[in-house]
Amino acid sequence: MLTSTSTAATVVAGGNDNDVENAASVAVGDDEVNEDCAPSADCEPLCRSSSVKGYILLLVSASLNFEAVVRLSRTKETFTNESLTEIDWCSVLDNLGSFYDFVLIKRGDLDAKIRYAMAASGMTIIISGFVILCYFDLFTGLGKTLWPKMFGPNKTVELCILIFLVILWLVTIWFNTAIRGIAGEGSEQYNLYFTSWLCLWTTFWTLERWFVSSGMSSFKKFVSSWPNRCKLWIITFILSFSDFLFVLDVVCTCLTCTC
């Protein structure tokens, strides 16, 4: 740029009008080239984004969760047959409704919960796998035209996907880890339990990485920027709301218990 400016000044000092216009165009052209070559976060390849780590971890955790659900679905027949031995067959003759509630309704609820958990982990695998392929797309022309418009900092499409995954796993955690859930108390489904919480944490972490790469504050800095008393109120609200959900789960379990 300095060379072009000195050249333009030399031409202005001892040249005609055409030389002045040519020199001015050369100087302006150098400015345009420098502006195009200026580093920008949007021009950075998608594969270098910090969010891709979250999608990879989400893909792995969702795959493990899906495998645990499939294993549970294969053993549910054995689980139901073993539960039949716990029935007092003498009382069954007196009240056939208890037998119907214990076997048919319990089995139907278990099948519905398994199908939902399988659908949630399956959708997560498909979505995270598709996003990873878009991030590492270096062979098709879409890697330079379409995908940068959908994924990356300040892209609405990726934000909507992350919000959907967060809501999906907030609901899935409730169904999977409730007292009567498929990974609830006494079910001994430890892989399903921990991978469900891992998927939820990964969705929040990936959403935070997107905020940071978009020039926004992380969750920690966002909360730390508030007054000191506000952080305690947030902790109080989270603990109180969690306790409310636990009590609600216990009440629902007691109301639906047929024993």
Side-chain angles (χ1 to χ4, degrees):
M1 180 62 196
L2 293 176
T3 306
S4 301
T5 306
S6 60
T7 303
T10 304
V11 173
V12 169
N16 52 22
D17 294 338
N18 293 331
D19 294 335
V20 173
E21 293 178 358
N22 294 333
S25 62
V26 170
V28 173
D30 287 346
D31 290 337
E32 292 177 354
V33 172
N34 291 335
E35 290 178 359
D36 294 337
C37 295
S40 175
D42 295 336
C43 297
E44 186 175 308
L46 291 176
C47 57
R48 297 183 181 179
S49 175
S50 59
S51 301
V52 71
K53 300 177 182 177
Y55 289 112
I56 295 175
L57 179 59
L58 184 60
L59 177 63
V60 174
S61 56
S63 300
L64 295 176
N65 186 272
F66 184 82
E67 188 272 336
V69 177
V70 171
R71 182 181 300 178
L72 176 62
S73 65
R74 292 177 179 176
T75 58
K76 67 181 180 64
E77 295 291 342
T78 305
F79 171 77
T80 304
N81 294 333
E82 291 178 354
S83 300
L84 293 177
T85 60
E86 302 175 0
I87 299 179
D88 185 3
W89 292 102
C90 294
S91 62
V92 169
L93 298 177
D94 297 331
N95 187 6
L96 294 178
S98 61
F99 178 79
Y100 174 80
D101 293 339
F102 185 85
V103 179
L104 299 182
I105 296 180
K106 180 178 180 181
R107 183 172 179 177
D109 292 341
L110 183 63
D111 290 339
K113 293 176 181 178
I114 289 176
R115 286 196 299 267
Y116 175 81
M118 193 177 298
S121 57
M123 284 191 297
T124 305
I125 292 173
I126 294 174
I127 294 175
S128 58
F130 173 75
V131 175
I132 292 174
L133 291 178
C134 295
Y135 266 74
F136 288 95
D137 186 9
L138 303 177
F139 305 100
T140 65
L142 299 177
K144 297 181 180 179
T145 56
L146 181 59
W147 305 142
K149 297 179 181 179
M150 297 176 58
F151 304 100
N154 299 308
K155 298 302 184 294
T156 307
V157 175
E158 185 173 6
L159 177 61
C160 294
I161 291 175
L162 291 174
I163 293 177
F164 169 76
L165 291 175
V166 169
I167 297 175
L168 174 66
W169 280 103
L170 282 174
V171 177
T172 305
I173 279 292
W174 172 264
F175 286 106
N176 286 0
T177 62
I179 295 178
R180 302 187 69 177
I182 57 178
E185 183 180 0
S187 62
E188 298 183 356
Q189 298 296 326
Y190 304 111
N191 291 339
L192 181 59
Y193 180 86
F194 289 109
T195 53
S196 298
W197 282 107
L198 180 61
C199 288
L200 178 63
W201 177 84
T202 306
T203 54
F204 274 105
W205 186 83
T206 309
L207 180 61
E208 183 187 35
R209 292 297 90 197
W210 184 89
F211 279 122
V212 173
S213 62
S214 299
M216 306 178 189
S217 300
S218 62
F219 294 156
K220 181 178 180 181
K221 292 183 179 180
F222 180 69
V223 175
S224 301
S225 62
W226 297 354
N228 294 330
R229 293 181 180 179
C230 190
K231 292 188 291 186
L232 298 179
W233 282 113
I234 294 175
I235 296 175
T236 304
F237 169 77
I238 294 176
L239 294 178
S240 302
F241 187 72
S242 301
D243 184 68
F244 169 77
L245 293 179
F246 294 149
V247 174
L248 182 63
D249 188 19
V250 173
V251 172
C252 294
T253 303
C254 295
L255 292 178
T256 56
C257 183
T258 58
C259 56

